[in-house]
Amino acid sequence: MSKLSFKDFDILSEQDKAEAVALMQKYDQLDKQDSCQKDFISFVKFMWPEFVEGKHHKIIADKFNQIAKGKCKRLIVCLPPRHTKSEFASTFFPAWMMGKRGDLKIIQTTHTAELAVRFGRKVRNIIDSDDYQHIFPELKLQADNKSAGRWTSNQEGEFFAAGVGGAITGRGADLLIIDDPISEQDALSPKAMESCYEWFTSGPRQRLQPGGIIVIVMTRWSTKDLVGKLLKKQNDENADKWDVIEFPAILPETEKPLWPEFWKKEELLGVKASLPISKWNSQWMQN
């Protein structure tokens, strides 16, 4: 059935016009619902109208789409501060994945329990919003279990927030998200970096369910951080093999900002996140 257009309205009665408008709005709603359910960046744009899109967002969103389709299980995203890595990976992505799989078990971690709980509150509030319910009407939060850091869905999904070093015994994860596991203050501390790696290998990595997904997002301050250790280990036969997305604030090949739609170059000069440790191919910026 083709959509009605407004040029056909002259031949309709007032009642038929009202019904036609309602029908067109229904079609638009169904189209929007379908695109937001299937495509992560469409979901973000619908839920966050003020979002300013950059090319790096498209690359990350495409990888999240692959995760949802089961084509990627291990993802590392390294970006400078204030480039939307946490909004994407720790807020909208778990909400979107929970909508697609209502029984998903999610463990969200970051360098402090307080920040992890803050992410949990944001995800919970997104799912509880009217806009989200238009996209995923079947998913609801359990009324008797809606604390910010620990909540469940009506489809047996679970969200658990924890800080690095915190206990997660007894929890299982279909999706493990690790967001900036070390604070900027500890970023160059060998002891802190080693403790983070030991926590990861002995704690959350052991909580992963069969077929589980790991997403690590962080700003890199050292080659000896969690990402550096994991990438070095992946040469071992049984180690995790990672897909990596990594960009600095200013692209050295073009000397342009990674996100020119939001940041001006002069605002980024001197930003510590423009690290020489980033290894990437910026050819896509010139296409």
Side-chain angles (χ1 to χ4, degrees):
M1 180 186 296
S2 60
K3 291 185 179 180
L4 294 173
S5 65
F6 284 100
K7 67 180 181 181
D8 301 318
F9 274 27
D10 290 341
I11 63 175
L12 299 177
S13 67
E14 291 301 317
Q15 181 178 351
D16 287 340
K17 288 180 181 179
E19 293 177 354
V21 169
L23 183 61
M24 293 173 67
Q25 291 175 341
K26 184 65 174 179
Y27 271 119
D28 289 340
Q29 181 179 345
L30 291 174
D31 285 345
K32 178 63 68 175
Q33 182 185 62
D34 184 64
S35 64
C36 289
Q37 288 181 357
K38 292 180 178 178
D39 180 56
F40 176 74
I41 200 106
S42 296
F43 172 73
V44 172
K45 291 178 180 178
F46 178 77
M47 296 298 302
W48 187 11
E50 300 83 9
F51 168 61
V52 178
E53 183 179 356
K55 288 187 176 182
H56 66 293
H57 295 121
K58 296 178 183 178
I59 293 175
I60 298 169
D62 180 65
K63 193 61 67 173
F64 285 170
N65 288 338
Q66 291 182 36
I67 288 175
K69 295 175 183 177
K71 297 180 179 180
C72 175
K73 297 290 186 180
R74 302 288 183 271
L75 176 64
I76 290 172
V77 178
C78 297
L79 292 174
R82 316 310 302 165
H83 278 65
T84 327
K85 67 180 186 303
S86 292
E87 286 84 353
F88 260 42
S90 295
T91 304
F92 290 105
F93 182 58
W96 184 65
M97 287 292 288
M98 184 72 81
K100 295 172 71 67
R101 289 180 51 188
D103 61 346
L104 202 68
K105 306 295 189 295
I106 300 175
I107 293 180
Q108 167 77 55
T109 67
T110 186
H111 54 272
T112 66
E114 179 184 359
L115 182 56
V117 169
R118 194 183 309 168
F119 288 139
R121 181 179 294 109
K122 289 181 178 181
V123 179
R124 181 199 64 185
N125 291 346
I126 287 174
I127 292 176
D128 220 15
S129 69
D130 291 338
D131 286 342
Y132 185 91
Q133 292 301 312
H134 285 308
I135 303 302
F136 297 108
E138 296 182 1
L139 186 74
K140 311 289 182 184
L141 297 175
Q142 292 282 30
D144 60 346
N145 191 358
K146 295 173 63 173
S147 66
R150 302 180 184 183
W151 45 261
T152 58
S153 78
N154 62 334
Q155 299 178 35
E156 299 185 357
E158 297 178 359
F159 182 100
F160 181 77
V164 169
I168 53 176
T169 304
R171 302 282 174 176
D174 299 306
L175 172 60
L176 169 62
I177 301 172
I178 301 175
D179 188 335
D180 277 332
I182 297 181
S183 68
E184 292 183 26
Q185 292 74 22
D186 291 331
L188 298 180
S189 166
K191 182 179 179 180
M193 287 186 283
E194 188 61 33
S195 295
C196 177
Y197 179 72
E198 290 178 359
W199 167 82
F200 170 78
T201 55
S202 63
R205 180 61 184 85
Q206 303 303 319
R207 299 288 96 202
L208 209 63
Q209 302 275 64
I213 301 158
I214 305 176
V215 175
I216 299 175
V217 292
M218 61 184 292
T219 298
R220 297 199 65 187
W221 305 98
S222 169
T223 57
K224 298 179 181 179
D225 57 15
L226 177 62
V227 166
K229 293 178 183 296
L230 292 175
L231 294 182
K232 184 176 180 180
K233 287 285 185 180
Q234 74 174 345
N235 293 325
D236 296 345
E237 181 179 355
N238 296 320
D240 291 320
K241 306 300 186 290
W242 299 88
D243 286 4
V244 181
I245 297 172
E246 185 170 14
F247 292 104
I250 298 175
L251 303 171
E253 291 184 6
T254 62
E255 296 187 355
K256 295 180 180 180
L258 170 65
W259 191 10
E261 298 85 357
F262 191 82
W263 286 108
K264 295 179 181 179
K265 182 178 178 179
E266 54 267 28
E267 294 174 321
L268 293 171
L269 290 175
V271 172
K272 292 181 180 180
S274 300
L275 291 177
I277 65 170
S278 297
K279 297 176 181 179
W280 47 279
N281 183 343
S282 65
Q283 185 63 42
W284 60 275
M285 292 295 293
Q286 303 170 20
N287 292 337

